[in-house]
Amino acid sequence: MNCEKIRERTADYLAGELDEESLAGMRAHLAECPHCREELEGLSVIWTKLGVLPNEEPSAALRSRFYGMLEAYKKGLKKEGEGQGAKRALSIWLGRLMPRKPAFQLGLALILMAAGLGSGFLLSVRPRSAARAEMASLRGEMDGMRRIVAISLLKQASPSDRLMGVSWSVRIDRPGDEIIAALLQTLNHDPNVNVRLAAADALYLFYDHPEVKKGLIDSLAGQTSPLVQVSLISLLVEIRERRAVEALERLIQNEKLNPKVKKLAELGLVQLS
Amino acid sequence: MDPTSDNRLMEEVRDGKVERLAILFERHHVMLFNFFLRLSGNRSVSEDLVQDVFFRILKYRDTYQGESKFAVWMYQIARNVHVDHLRKQKPEVPLDDQFEEPAADEAPAIERLTSEVDAVLLKRALDRLPLRKKEILLLSRFQEMKYREIAELLGCDIGSIKSTIHRTIRELGKIYLELQGGTSP
């Protein structure tokens, strides 16, 4: 290998893309050529230094702006799609119906007018129900998107992202098993107290979901932070969950329990029984 | 094909499941933000540009072919967004002012040895590179793109990308040394 070849392969060398054979050839040349050796060493130093330049985190606003845009775009798309589809169908349909002769056209117009007046009167209730169905389907789709967003945020490394994940999940009308499971997972295992607290509050909003009550009760035994314990006890009392009695009794027996939490748990027991 | 691969997700976005873009956003927005940050030196501008990239992805989703890697297509859009941004900016702001120069000179002497200053110097050196060279270097070193993909993105042959990388690193090293000489006691 000569100096020219070394120069050609430098970029691949830096990126670690050279195979064994080329590497060996390069090493052999470098051992003999101090000029190439010196140059490659200098370039490697800069390349390595570049590699440790830290990445910066964008502000939280970027994420909320993106999701705002996505939601708006989806809404716009839905409207546009329906408008265009309906228009095209209508024009094809009318095109087929229209008679060729003007006299028949006039007759058809009169018949249609009469039919329109009559059916307009008869069907005056229908548009409202159609609009309701459309709203329901739109809501369903928005829910789907919020679910994806919430789940992906709950898996992020930064606590503020996960907090945002919890707040997205609160905006879901029908959370479904996946969201409930993710929130329970967060409540039980998130290392950050604030995120756990937010998850408990979010779950409270979904307490009519069958898994939630059981999840909140089971969670009480595993929590170590007094803040989360207090929050869970008041939630259980609030939703009048009698099955919680056992969990509260067990909690009170824990000797390491914070005295204030113990007092609250005892008070809760009285309220529940 | 892996159902969660970038390309598969983008095909779904193209075919109407636009909410799948959320996953692509989560995967790429930090990298993209840092790409713009290293080009512009300005955080809020960089956030605007990231938002613009994802907006254009939605707007032009019909044109996505799926032949090349999604990242190649995304950085094609990112480069256009950046060029448009420079064009809009030019009449108002002279080129030198586009960069918020970090205040390296104010750092106390004792800190000059730390890697922090090292990083500041290197960033300043990067800012002195011509745009095209800087872009190629950023794409290969920070955006995890292969030379082959960069060549595809810029529409040139892989050989010229490799030699540009070589020359750019050499140039960067020279500027870096000059800056170091300029600030040492």
Side-chain angles (χ1 to χ4, degrees), chain A residues 119-128:
Chain A
S119 61
F121 175 71
L122 286 173
L123 297 177
S124 58
V125 201
R126 224 191 126 211
R128 223 179 291 157

Side-chain angles (χ1 to χ4, degrees), chain A residues 101-121:
Chain A
K101 285 188 182 169
F104 289 153
Q105 283 179 5
L106 182 70
L108 183 68
L110 287 174
I111 293 167
L112 281 177
M113 200 167 83
L117 284 173
S119 61
F121 175 71

Side-chain angles (χ1 to χ4, degrees), chain A residues 46 49-50 53, chain B residues 118-126 172 176:
Chain A
I46 293 292
K49 276 183 193 290
L50 281 175
L53 277 185
Chain B
D118 222 26
V120 169
L121 284 184
L122 202 56
K123 272 191 216 163
R124 289 176 129 201
L126 270 173
L172 187 68
Y176 175 73

Side-chain angles (χ1 to χ4, degrees), chain A residues 61-87:
Chain A
L62 176 59
R63 181 174 275 127
S64 52
R65 272 170 69 196
F66 166 77
Y67 284 110
M69 173 190 76
L70 189 59
E71 211 160 328
Y73 182 86
K74 242 198 126 170
K75 256 188 226 170
L77 203 65
K78 178 99 184 157
K79 249 185 228 159
E80 192 181 294
E82 278 177 0
Q84 278 182 356
K87 244 185 252 166

Side-chain angles (χ1 to χ4, degrees), chain A residues 11-12 49 56 59 63 67, chain B residues 26 34 47 118 147 162:
Chain A
D12 280 328
K49 276 183 193 290
E56 288 190 31
S59 76
R63 181 174 275 127
Y67 284 110
Chain B
E26 293 301 339
N34 280 279
E47 290 189 3
D118 222 26
Y147 298 136
K162 286 182 187 176

Side-chain angles (χ1 to χ4, degrees), chain A residues 7 11-12 17 39 43 47 49-51 54-57 59 63 65-67 73-74 77 145, chain B residues 18-19 25-26 29 34 38 43 47-48 58 61 118 141-142 146-147 162 166 169-170 176:
Chain A
R7 248 169 268 138
D12 280 328
E17 298 267 292
E39 173 165 340
L43 296 177
W47 184 262
K49 276 183 193 290
L50 281 175
N55 267 345
E56 288 190 31
E57 282 290 320
S59 76
R63 181 174 275 127
R65 272 170 69 196
F66 166 77
Y67 284 110
Y73 182 86
K74 242 198 126 170
L77 203 65
M145 196 199 72
Chain B
V18 292
E19 68 278 354
F25 173 82
E26 293 301 339
H29 79 280
N34 280 279
R38 288 184 176 117
R43 287 182 60 90
E47 290 189 3
D48 287 347
L58 276 180
R61 65 198 171 92
D118 222 26
R141 194 62 182 118
F142 300 105
K146 304 264 182 228
Y147 298 136
K162 286 182 187 176
H166 185 176
I169 294 282
R170 206 162 51 190
Y176 175 73

Side-chain angles (χ1 to χ4, degrees), chain B:
Chain B
M1 197 199 257
D2 176 8
T4 60
S5 74
D6 284 354
N7 284 35
R8 187 75 206 99
L9 288 168
M10 188 57 220
E11 279 168 19
E12 287 183 328
V13 171
R14 179 193 62 201
D15 298 340
K17 286 190 184 171
V18 292
E19 68 278 354
R20 305 292 268 176
L21 188 65
I23 303 172
L24 291 169
F25 173 82
E26 293 301 339
R27 269 183 205 166
H28 295 285
H29 79 280
V30 175
M31 290 273 268
L32 209 49
F33 170 73
N34 280 279
F35 176 66
F36 286 132
L37 189 58
R38 288 184 176 117
L39 282 178
S40 72
N42 182 313
R43 287 182 60 90
S44 75
V45 165
S46 303
E47 290 189 3
D48 287 347
L49 297 182
V50 172
Q51 171 83 352
D52 202 359
V53 169
F54 282 97
F55 175 70
R56 290 194 196 187
I57 289 179
L58 276 180
K59 193 171 164 192
Y60 301 117
R61 65 198 171 92
D62 293 344
T63 67
Y64 180 70
Q65 299 286 337
E67 282 155 7
S68 50
K69 221 172 123 179
F70 166 73
V72 172
W73 188 68
M74 184 181 75
Y75 278 106
Q76 241 154 16
I77 294 175
R79 290 187 70 235
N80 289 338
V81 163
H82 183 244
V83 167
D84 289 350
H85 160 73
L86 288 183
R87 208 173 284 151
K88 261 184 249 161
Q89 236 196 351
K90 240 173 198 167
E92 299 144 33
V93 187
L95 205 64
D96 288 351
D97 295 351
Q98 283 173 26
F99 306 107
E100 291 171 359
E101 288 260 335
D105 292 342
E106 291 160 21
I110 193 125
E111 274 181 26
R112 286 195 186 153
L113 297 169
T114 64
S115 59
E116 222 170 284
V117 172
D118 222 26
V120 169
L121 284 184
L122 202 56
K123 272 191 216 163
R124 289 176 129 201
L126 270 173
D127 284 345
R128 295 203 184 175
L129 290 174
L131 180 60
R132 187 178 168 84
K133 285 183 178 172
K134 189 175 171 184
E135 268 186 326
I136 292 176
L137 185 59
L138 291 182
L139 288 169
S140 76
R141 194 62 182 118
F142 300 105
Q143 314 308 126
E144 293 172 1
M145 288 187 90
K146 304 264 182 228
Y147 298 136
R148 177 177 45 75
E149 292 163 352
I150 300 173
E152 190 187 341
L153 171 61
L154 300 185
C156 56
D157 70 299
I158 186 166
S160 83
I161 295 293
K162 286 182 187 176
S163 67
T164 306
I165 286 285
H166 185 176
R167 273 182 283 124
T168 307
I169 294 282
R170 206 162 51 190
E171 198 174 328
L172 187 68
K174 231 165 120 190
I175 302 171
Y176 175 73
L177 278 182
E178 274 171 26
L179 288 174
Q180 232 176 8
T183 55
S184 64

Side-chain angles (χ1 to χ4, degrees), chain A residues 240-257:
Chain A
R240 302 250 138 234
E241 187 48 52
R242 280 175 193 276
R243 277 179 294 171
V245 170
E246 222 173 283
L248 285 176
E249 279 171 348
R250 229 175 302 136
L251 186 71
I252 291 169
Q253 279 160 18
N254 182 350
E255 284 166 11
K256 288 182 200 153
L257 190 67

